[in-house]
Amino acid sequence: MLLLLLFALSVPSSQAWSFDYPSPIANLPSLWSNNNATIPYSATYTSGLTTRAILVRQNPAGYGPSFACGFICTAPCDTFLFAVFSVFIGENTNNPALNASATPRVIWTANRRRPVKENASLQINRDGDLVLRDFDGSLVWSTTTSGSTVVGMNLAQTGNLILFDMVGKTVWESFEHPDDTLLIGQSLRQGKRLTSASANWTQGQFYLTVLDHGLHAFVDGDPPQFYYQKRFNVTDAMAHSNMNISSSDEAKDSMVYISFLQGSLTAFASFNNTDIKLFDMSLPWRSSAQLMSLEDDGHLRVYGWDGISWEPLADVLDVQPDECAYPTVCGEYGICSQGYCSCPSRNSGDELFRHLDDRQPNLGCSPAIPLSCDLIQYQQLLPLADVTYFNFAYNWTTHEESCKEACLKACTCKAVFFRYQNDTYGSCYLMPKIFSFMHYKPEKIGYNLSAYIKVQMLPPPSASKDLGATAYHVGVPVLVAFIGVLILIIKRIISKKMQEDDPFKGIPGMPTRFSYKQLREATNNFSKKLGQGGFGPVYEGKLGNVKIAVKCLRDMGHGKEEFMAEVITIGSVHHINLVRLIGYCSDKLHRLLVYEHMCNGSLDKWIFSKSQSDSLSWASRYKIIIDIAKGLAYLHEECRQKIVHLDIKPGNILLDENFNAKISDFGLAKLIDRDQSHVMTKVRGTRGYLAPEWLTSTITEKADIYSFGVVVLEIVSRRKILDSSQPEGSTNLINLLQEKIKVGQVLDIVENQDEDMQLHGAEMIEVIKLAIWCLQRECSKRPAMSQVVKVLEGAMDAERTAGSETTSRDYIFNASSPLTPVQVSAR
Ligand SMILES: *[C@@H]1O[C@H](CO)[C@@H](O)[C@H](O)[C@H]1NC(C)=O
Ligand SMILES: *[C@@H]1O[C@H](CO)[C@@H](O)[C@H](O)[C@H]1NC(C)=O
Ligand SMILES: *[C@@H]1O[C@H](CO)[C@@H](O)[C@H](O)[C@H]1NC(C)=O
Ligand SMILES: *[C@@H]1O[C@H](CO)[C@@H](O)[C@H](O)[C@H]1NC(C)=O
Ligand SMILES: *[C@@H]1O[C@H](CO)[C@@H](O)[C@H](O)[C@H]1NC(C)=O
Ligand SMILES: *[C@@H]1O[C@H](CO)[C@@H](O)[C@H](O)[C@H]1NC(C)=O
Ligand SMILES: *[C@@H]1O[C@H](CO)[C@@H](O)[C@H](O)[C@H]1NC(C)=O
Ligand SMILES: *[C@@H]1O[C@H](CO)[C@@H](O)[C@H](O)[C@H]1NC(C)=O
Ligand SMILES: *[C@@H]1O[C@H](CO)[C@@H](O)[C@H](O)[C@H]1NC(C)=O
Ligand SMILES: *[C@@H]1O[C@H](CO)[C@@H](O)[C@H](O)[C@H]1NC(C)=O
């Protein structure tokens, strides 16, 4: 029964595998402790994976992979899984087994949900149970076969881990407990699940299961949503077979399952020991060893053994209509259109949703303001044109308006779909969890659908509510009551007027008007100061669950109209690299601006930090430079009214949780009309970042570009432009740079030189050149911000575009003295 084919093999000369391999069979009783003293068959691969093999079933080279079972971990290897994995055991080469391309692939795991530590134990005990305990003795997993007459454990050539009894009969087998992978000959039975695994081996969110009416793939959730189904009809199939089955009752006794066979995935109904084929999905057959794995993107893929590792051969599920119907293809809230991902938006282009990571749009989107059940009365439904979903569940028939209303009332509803049946009636679908949406062409799907997505707005002023309470307490005496009513009416009128004043009232996405009282409450009486900007202090606050930053403007020296004009401008500017204005407060005494909260604070904290843990990698810093450039390019060149910032410096660059950089405080300096430079009467900005032309008083957006150049130098060098702690002669970074240019040691300006600099020195030099281009004394020679963006994104070379006679390279290597920094004392 037991085929013990131990080949006489040449053992690879790897140290880790330098013993003879363990046998594929273990007899009772056996105990293994998860450490390399007890399990000497250990190997660490260049991919960071370490295996400790308990049993190894070696396949002759050329036939297929060898399989092993044992403990396995990935770097840093503090937790382990007990698993069956495929291994490549090479012949005479040096250490091929440890080469990354031959990294083992996990086939089956016992304890994915509960990994164990060093010194965990695995035991086949006398009760006939295979038991996994953690280092502290706690029970983690067992085959629950105690009471049976297990005498040993065998790892079969198919990759099946088997407990067998005295006569060699299988008592328990891993094939009956599929994990994320099926091997040839393995079946997935009705009720069992094939569950995807994440890259870090934790349980994934997809599963494939066979139900009595078909094969289904679900994405887990509450409730799970299916994205694939292949139906079958067992009664029908039996009627068509030559079995004499008279009633569908008998069909109910059947057990359905799918089997991974050579060249197909086939569904069967098993009845009275007879199998009836239900369907057959043919698969490529090019290799003797194959596996099928449900992966973390929801795809079920077939892999073939190419002699060393597994190569993907085919996608098994034909998910309809296309790739876009995979639930996570564009992440949560993402809209998939022919494989491209975007975020829901309104035509106005404001930013109600944004990508979690601009560079990876497929990771999904998040709402600018998170949904909050506390603020359910301020939620709205945003219509989405030509958008549908991979699965519609939990519907009822109603009118479109009641359908929408039901969603607005239910805190759990994140989006709603309404599918028309006739002019007024249709099916209503409330979505409790949003995966990716699909774009569609209306003429293609054959039904009419409306889609709405829920968005959170912030509370409008609640003046009248407070008054209601006041009036209530006034009480009995008629006169007092009368006065109360009078006050009430007057206040109502005032509050109505206030609301009329609000130019954005009811326009979602536009800044909300707040009362001073609301903001005082939101900031807990201005108790947590985030910083002190050039225009006044900034406090942290909270509206519902939403964190905000409240800036109290001091001595604006503006009238109400001017203030409103600026709020309108700032509020209508939306760009991913600009800090978003959520609301404002304007009354007789107070002018406050409410911004989105940026949890990583301002850039200065990060680039000038001496602590290693806070320092940002070169890749992050480069991304931040691009972000700032894009934000400025938008302000200068793309938005309706050109905005010159006039105070670009690291303190005004804020970082969100993913270290996306956003410019803050824009629009607070004077607005400059397009094509018209403005004569400033007062020097603004910050010493060190001021362009030379402040002396001559003609200020254009080129002043921002100079400041940008300074910021770039600071980001590259990780030191402040003016740093009095530096030795004499180096206190000004620009002077220092000029010195270093002369001696050809430009990178000497970088502080804390590390490995990052060794690797990216050439790129840093290019960025410094770009900064120099921005720092030219003559402002007309500085590039436009859009040019800077193009250079940073690699579309243009700083040299080729730097202008006719002077190139940035000239400034690096022939620097006569074009960069003399100006030292204007501002304020
Ligand atoms: C176990 O293996 C690891 C990595 O292969 C090694 O660092 C460690 O020293 C080994 N421990 C023993 C006790 O052999
Ligand atoms: C790893 O193995 C593959 C296949 O044998 C081989 O092509 C590659 O050169 C090896 N890499 C190293 C670093 O040994
Ligand atoms: C594992 O057990 C061995 C032997 O009992 C012991 O020397 C070692 O320190 C233990 N390792 C850990 C990480 O507890
Ligand atoms: C593993 O990956 C999943 C998703 O890929 C993630 O949610 C989870 O936090 C990760 N777990 C660990 C321990 O890294
Ligand atoms: C299966 O087919 C039979 C006969 O054709 C039919 O009566 C029955 O409703 C079908 N069952 C399902 C679940 O479609
Ligand atoms: C099915 O039943 C019919 C009569 O009802 C009989 O003639 C036939 O031989 C039976 N077929 C099988 C495969 O038992
Ligand atoms: C089940 O199979 C047995 C023998 O194989 C046969 O005697 C019996 O009639 C079958 N029952 C049905 C319902 O087909
Ligand atoms: C949705 O509604 C249609 C028509 O009312 C119905 O046929 C279908 O079974 C419903 N689906 C679910 C999942 O409730
Ligand atoms: C629309 O369908 C509903 C439910 O089927 C029905 O009650 C109603 O009369 C229909 N309305 C029209 C205008 O056809
Ligand atoms: C969809 O709506 C349009 C316009 O209301 C109508 O002309 C068309 O017939 C509808 N299509 C379906 C499939 O109901």
Side-chain angles (χ1 to χ4, degrees):
M1 268 243 73
L2 298 168
L3 294 178
L4 273 183
L5 294 176
L6 276 176
F7 292 85
L9 283 154
S10 55
V11 173
S13 59
S14 134
Q15 287 163 348
W17 292 85
S18 60
F19 303 87
D20 206 353
Y21 295 110
S23 145
I25 297 209
N27 291 320
L28 175 129
S30 296
L31 172 68
W32 300 270
S33 205
N34 179 27
N35 54 52
N36 37 7
T38 326
I39 310 174
Y41 311 99
S42 157
T44 298
Y45 292 80
T46 49
S47 58
L49 185 143
T50 296
T51 58
R52 286 175 181 161
I54 292 174
L55 306 180
V56 174
R57 168 67 71 178
Q58 209 168 358
N59 261 333
Y63 275 88
S66 298
F67 290 101
C69 79
F71 292 98
I72 188 164
C73 63
T74 48
C77 270
D78 39 18
T79 61
F80 296 78
L81 298 180
F82 172 59
V84 172
F85 42 91
S86 69
V87 288
F88 166 68
I89 297 177
E91 286 183 336
N92 297 313
T93 40
N94 267 347
N95 270 3
L98 308 184
N99 176 329
S101 67
T103 290
R105 184 179 176 113
V106 173
I107 303 292
W108 175 85
T109 65
N111 58 322
R112 202 182 279 290
R113 285 160 190 266
R114 198 176 151 191
V116 293
K117 296 257 197 291
E118 182 93 4
N119 281 353
S121 69
L122 183 77
Q123 182 174 27
I124 319 175
N125 64 23
R126 292 192 183 278
D127 295 341
D129 225 355
L130 179 65
V131 182
L132 177 66
R133 293 179 187 277
D134 209 344
F135 69 102
D136 57 1
S138 57
L139 177 67
V140 172
W141 171 85
S142 106
T143 52
T144 60
T145 44
S146 61
S148 59
T149 51
V150 168
V151 299
M153 178 163 80
N154 174 28
L155 182 58
Q157 197 157 349
T158 51
N160 195 6
L161 183 67
I162 295 168
L163 295 185
F164 58 91
D165 67 9
M166 240 128 44
V167 293
K169 198 165 142 266
T170 297
V171 174
W172 178 94
E173 55 186 325
S174 62
F175 268 25
E176 282 298 314
H177 304 271
D179 188 18
D180 65 333
T181 300
L182 293 180
L183 291 166
I184 297 271
Q186 191 172 358
S187 298
L188 182 68
R189 297 190 191 280
Q190 189 167 349
K192 293 267 166 67
R193 289 179 179 184
L194 196 65
T195 308
S196 71
S198 313
N200 58 17
W201 295 350
T202 54
Q203 184 154 332
Q205 52 182 338
F206 297 95
Y207 63 90
L208 185 77
T209 187
V210 190
L211 303 176
D212 55 10
H213 53 280
L215 171 67
H216 295 255
F218 287 90
V219 58
D220 215 350
D222 185 23
Q225 302 174 18
F226 71 79
Y227 60 98
Y228 172 83
Q229 60 172 343
K230 189 166 178 74
R231 290 180 156 271
F232 45 67
N233 185 331
V234 177
T235 318
D236 253 5
M238 288 194 168
H240 288 113
S241 75
N242 49 10
M243 271 180 83
N244 279 346
I245 301 219
S246 49
S247 77
S248 58
D249 280 353
E250 287 172 19
K252 279 200 189 108
D253 295 336
S254 66
M255 175 65 139
V256 288
Y257 64 95
I258 53 166
S259 274
F260 182 24
L261 305 174
Q262 295 201 346
S264 77
L265 184 65
T266 307
F268 295 99
S270 159
F271 180 73
N272 199 15
N273 283 334
T274 311
D275 287 338
I276 298 167
K277 193 188 279 187
L278 299 169
F279 66 71
D280 209 8
M281 293 156 79
S282 74
L283 300 174
W285 182 247
R286 272 189 266 128
S287 152
S288 57
Q290 294 195 344
L291 59 78
M292 179 183 286
S293 186
L294 184 64
E295 308 203 313
D296 207 25
D297 55 1
H299 286 254
L300 181 65
R301 293 196 180 86
V302 177
Y303 288 79
W305 181 253
D306 73 357
I308 286 189
S309 60
W310 298 97
E311 282 295 308
L313 295 181
D315 213 341
V316 183
L317 309 178
D318 51 337
V319 167
Q320 291 299 330
D322 56 34
E323 170 77 16
C324 284
Y326 280 97
T328 55
V329 61
C330 283
E332 289 183 17
Y333 282 114
I335 300 175
C336 178
S337 176
Q338 298 178 330
Y340 288 96
C341 299
S342 59
C343 291
S345 68
R346 233 191 311 241
N347 292 337
S348 59
D350 51 8
E351 220 196 23
L352 292 174
F353 291 86
R354 53 187 163 218
H355 286 296
L356 292 176
D357 182 343
D358 279 335
R359 284 165 299 177
Q360 289 173 278
N362 59 327
L363 292 185
C365 309
S366 68
I369 305 173
L371 293 178
S372 165
C373 291
D374 298 342
L375 300 175
I376 192 168
Q377 65 270 40
Y378 307 115
Q379 292 174 345
Q380 301 185 357
L381 292 176
L382 169 71
L384 296 180
D386 302 341
V387 157
T388 184
Y389 200 61
F390 63 92
N391 166 308
F392 293 119
Y394 306 98
N395 71 81
W396 75 91
T397 306
T398 182
H399 295 97
E400 181 162 4
E401 282 315 310
S402 0
C403 177
K404 287 166 67 178
E405 212 169 285
C407 180
L408 281 172
K409 277 194 190 135
C411 175
T412 53
C413 177
K414 301 245 167 60
V416 59
F417 290 92
F418 184 77
R419 182 173 161 171
Y420 287 91
Q421 278 158 15
N422 61 25
D423 284 352
T424 54
Y425 267 65
S427 305
C428 176
Y429 309 87
L430 307 184
M431 314 302 305
K433 170 151 174 99
I434 304 284
F435 292 99
S436 303
F437 295 104
M438 298 189 271
H439 182 83
Y440 71 95
K441 296 226 166 66
E443 62 277 12
K444 276 219 172 139
I445 58 170
Y447 54 81
N448 281 334
L449 187 74
S450 308
Y452 302 90
I453 189 165
K454 203 187 257 181
V455 289
Q456 182 72 54
M457 297 299 150
L458 291 167
S462 56
S464 45
K465 200 170 79 195
D466 302 338
L467 292 173
T470 319
Y472 181 79
H473 289 297
V474 168
V476 193
V478 177
L479 190 61
V480 179
F482 175 73
I483 294 169
V485 169
L486 203 63
I487 293 172
L488 185 69
I489 292 171
I490 292 168
K491 282 212 179 172
R492 278 249 165 87
I493 291 169
I494 293 171
S495 99
K496 193 153 176 241
K497 182 160 182 326
M498 254 176 81
Q499 282 173 22
E500 280 164 3
D501 265 3
D502 181 352
F504 316 120
K505 189 168 175 293
I507 308 175
M510 276 304 200
T512 309
R513 179 171 194 154
F514 295 94
S515 69
Y516 185 70
K517 185 161 166 277
Q518 277 178 312
L519 294 182
R520 201 175 56 209
E521 279 164 15
T523 56
N524 198 5
N525 205 12
F526 302 102
S527 55
K528 185 166 176 198
K529 194 161 164 182
L530 289 173
Q532 174 76 43
F535 298 88
V538 184
Y539 299 94
E540 185 177 301
K542 226 174 171 188
L543 288 169
N545 289 336
V546 184
K547 271 201 184 171
I548 52 172
V550 178
K551 182 185 283 281
C552 302
L553 302 178
R554 55 170 158 67
D555 58 276
M556 283 296 288
H558 282 320
K560 190 167 185 165
E561 283 71 39
E562 284 134 307
F563 177 73
M564 289 312 299
E566 293 193 7
V567 169
I568 290 173
T569 310
I570 301 167
S572 61
V573 172
H574 296 287
H575 187 271
I576 182 99
N577 299 119
L578 299 174
V579 176
R580 179 183 160 94
L581 181 72
I582 294 173
Y584 65 98
C585 161
S586 169
D587 65 16
K588 239 196 274 155
L589 298 173
H590 307 101
R591 302 280 152 77
L592 295 90
L593 294 174
V594 181
Y595 288 101
E596 63 179 328
H597 184 264
M598 303 283 287
C599 67
N600 275 321
S602 58
L603 178 63
D604 48 350
K605 193 176 95 195
W606 293 92
I607 52 173
F608 303 138
S609 157
K610 297 281 175 251
S611 113
Q612 207 61 41
S613 58
D614 287 358
S615 74
L616 297 169
S617 69
W618 171 245
S620 316
R621 286 184 287 147
Y622 192 81
K623 163 75 167 40
I624 288 169
I625 293 174
I626 294 187
D627 283 349
I628 304 170
K630 284 183 175 168
L632 271 179
Y634 186 80
L635 288 175
H636 289 173
E637 297 168 43
E638 287 161 48
C639 68
R640 229 174 318 154
Q641 189 170 12
K642 177 192 285 191
I643 295 176
V644 179
H645 191 291
L646 298 185
D647 198 10
I648 291 292
K649 59 179 176 181
N652 279 336
I653 313 293
L654 304 184
L655 301 173
D656 74 4
E657 65 276 17
N658 298 318
F659 290 95
N660 295 312
K662 304 190 183 209
I663 299 173
S664 80
D665 274 8
F666 61 89
L668 296 189
K670 266 232 165 346
L671 303 172
I672 299 180
D673 290 333
R674 211 182 253 291
D675 303 327
Q676 189 192 336
S677 52
H678 203 281
V679 178
M680 305 295 293
T681 51
K682 178 169 133 191
V683 172
R684 329 189 51 126
T686 306
R687 203 165 87 91
Y689 301 86
L690 292 174
E693 60 268 27
W694 281 100
L695 294 176
T696 61
S697 294
T698 306
I699 292 304
T700 65
E701 76 276 11
K702 295 286 189 183
D704 281 352
I705 291 165
Y706 182 91
S707 310
F708 171 80
V710 174
V711 172
V712 170
L713 278 191
E714 290 186 323
I715 294 176
V716 176
S717 66
R718 294 202 278 222
R719 59 155 279 187
K720 289 203 170 86
I721 182 76
L722 301 176
D723 183 353
S724 51
S725 70
Q726 298 279 349
E728 193 155 346
S730 340
T731 53
N732 189 311
L733 180 57
I734 294 182
N735 288 341
L736 179 67
L737 174 63
Q738 280 181 306
E739 291 309 310
K740 297 300 178 189
I741 288 170
K742 279 184 202 146
V743 297
Q745 297 290 336
V746 177
L747 287 180
D748 279 1
I749 66 165
V750 178
E751 301 266 303
N752 307 324
Q753 306 199 349
D754 55 12
E755 202 179 308
D756 229 19
M757 201 197 88
Q758 311 296 329
L759 287 172
H760 303 291
E763 205 170 60
M764 290 182 183
I765 290 179
E766 289 307 310
V767 173
I768 293 173
K769 280 193 214 168
L770 181 71
I772 291 172
W773 188 13
C774 296
L775 287 170
Q776 288 170 85
R777 166 173 281 188
E778 207 174 306
C779 58
S780 64
K781 287 187 178 162
R782 295 175 206 151
M785 223 51 221
S786 53
Q787 280 175 292
V788 171
V789 172
K790 279 184 190 152
V791 170
L792 286 167
E793 290 186 329
M796 261 197 243
D797 196 290
E799 297 168 45
R800 265 185 282 123
T801 46
S804 43
E805 69 279 21
T806 48
T807 68
S808 60
R809 194 177 285 277
D810 291 338
Y811 285 106
I812 291 262
F813 298 109
N814 306 324
S816 38
S817 70
L819 299 174
T820 316
V822 226
Q823 311 233 2
V824 185
S825 306
R827 292 200 234 165

